[in-house]
Amino acid sequence: MTAITGTLRDLALSTARIPVIDELAAIERLLPNTPDDQERHAALLERLPPLLDLRGRALVHGLQYQRFLTLAEADPAALEERVDTANALAILAHAGEIAMLLVPTGSAEDRFARVMLAKERTGQYQAGSGVHNPVLMTRALRQSVRTGSQVPAGMEEPARRFRGDVLPRRNDNGPGPGTYHLEDALSLDAWFNAPPDLRELLDDARRLLAAMAAWSEPKEPGPYWIGATRGAHILAYGKLCRVGLWPARSTDDLMVKQEVEELITERGNDPDSMRALVEIALGVGRRIARQGAPFVTVLPGVAL
């Protein structure tokens, strides 16, 4: 690995403004434009990204975040000017990691990537280097992993991609989610400072959950209702995770986050792994918000 030299002030920032989108927000864009609502949401399942693609982009953003910390250490005075860049990269990295656990496996490579991720996380927590609450991560991983040390035959290239030996390049970005580097700071800052409406995300999630219930009510549900329910469930929890990831900038944002916590507590029949992902996302948002203004962490008399 090439040694990181210089400071944040030495970055050659790109003046080109590029669109930034996180993996969870990108999932909704995969819905086809068809009139039948159930058919639309069922079709989402066939359009979800491969887990190794999600892994590659999350790795890039995590590496760029670590690069930020290294450069900031060399010149702490420049940290404040570029802190929004770091916050944007943190959200992008965590969104990718959460998406990798939210998106169902659809191929042998997906299943291999999921096992590798669980094995990696288990090792991190055993070594004391896990990022999130270990109980939450265990719940999010769904099951314990018992695998040998050998990569299965035919999975050598997926293993290289999982390890980050092969990473997506900036110039490979297409119309969907891409990889963003510190040099894209101006675009990352603009994205971070134009956050989504958290109330709208929660309302959308509630509408999707209500639709799921309605689709299952008829004595003879439509031909797409099982797939539609799965697709809507992924979308709804993706939105709830986005509420969690973004730091609160107002008391209304804090109220929305509190409502999300109450919602996933009430929905005890939903997969525990999905509810754990929302709790992990809420923790990320809280950590960012503790940086202080312009973020808020306390309602009148209630610390969140």
Side-chain angles (χ1 to χ4, degrees):
M1 181 179 292
T2 303
I4 298 174
T5 59
T7 74
L8 290 174
R9 299 179 200 272
D10 298 325
L11 291 172
L13 300 185
S14 171
T15 58
R17 295 301 178 95
I18 58 175
V20 178
I21 183 171
D22 68 77
E23 301 289 357
L24 296 170
I27 290 175
E28 186 170 8
R29 298 190 180 186
L30 300 175
L31 279 174
N33 186 21
T34 56
D36 187 294
D37 208 29
Q38 289 190 39
E39 184 179 0
R40 285 179 78 224
H41 288 85
L44 174 68
L45 297 175
E46 297 179 356
R47 294 170 170 238
L48 293 170
L51 266 59
L52 284 171
D53 288 358
L54 295 170
R55 167 72 173 184
R57 291 189 290 266
L59 277 177
V60 169
H61 297 138
L63 289 170
Q64 288 297 308
Y65 184 80
Q66 291 302 317
R67 181 181 168 216
F68 168 87
L69 295 178
T70 301
L71 294 175
E73 187 176 5
D75 185 6
L79 189 149
E80 184 175 354
E81 183 180 356
R82 288 273 70 87
V83 68
D84 286 348
T85 308
N87 288 333
L89 288 168
I91 289 178
L92 289 166
H94 285 296
E97 292 177 353
I98 288 171
M100 197 176 172
L101 287 167
L102 182 63
V103 169
T105 56
S107 68
E109 287 192 355
D110 281 351
R111 290 186 286 274
F112 171 76
R114 181 66 61 74
V115 169
M116 289 288 286
L117 180 66
K119 188 175 180 180
E120 178 187 77
R121 292 290 180 270
T122 299
Q124 289 173 344
Y125 282 93
Q126 288 175 345
S129 58
V131 175
H132 308 292
N133 181 298
V135 175
L136 288 180
M137 183 53 64
T138 299
R139 289 169 53 200
L141 290 172
R142 305 179 190 179
Q143 58 186 8
S144 61
V145 180
R146 297 179 182 176
T147 61
S149 58
Q150 299 298 317
V151 173
M155 289 295 164
E156 293 82 5
E157 183 60 24
R160 293 182 70 233
R161 291 182 62 193
F162 183 88
R163 291 192 301 263
D165 297 340
V166 181
L167 290 171
R169 298 174 298 182
R170 285 174 73 195
N171 57 7
D172 290 340
N173 287 355
T179 55
Y180 312 98
H181 293 235
L182 287 179
E183 285 75 12
D184 301 315
L186 300 181
S187 296
L188 290 167
D189 291 358
W191 177 72
F192 181 72
N193 287 298
D197 185 318
L198 302 191
R199 174 66 62 184
E200 184 176 315
L201 287 174
L202 174 56
D203 289 345
D204 287 348
R206 282 179 166 147
R207 279 192 288 270
L208 286 163
L209 295 171
M212 288 167 50
W215 293 337
S216 64
E217 285 178 358
K219 291 183 178 179
E220 295 185 10
Y224 299 106
W225 79 273
I226 294 178
T229 297
R230 292 184 65 199
H233 220 172
I234 292 167
L235 283 175
Y237 269 79
K239 289 175 181 291
L240 295 176
C241 287
R242 289 179 67 200
V243 172
L245 286 174
W246 286 88
R249 297 173 188 252
S250 67
T251 54
D252 186 61
D253 284 350
L254 285 179
M255 290 295 296
V256 171
K257 287 173 177 285
Q258 190 174 48
E259 290 175 42
V260 166
E261 289 183 315
E262 293 169 354
L263 177 64
I264 62 172
T265 299
E266 294 166 359
R267 295 189 63 85
N269 290 329
D270 284 348
D272 188 52
S273 59
M274 297 176 82
R275 293 188 293 126
L277 290 175
V278 177
E279 293 182 59
I280 286 172
L282 287 163
V284 172
R286 276 194 292 267
R287 288 197 293 274
I288 296 175
R290 290 187 188 123
Q291 294 171 8
F295 313 123
V296 293
T297 58
V298 180
L299 286 170
V302 182
L304 297 178

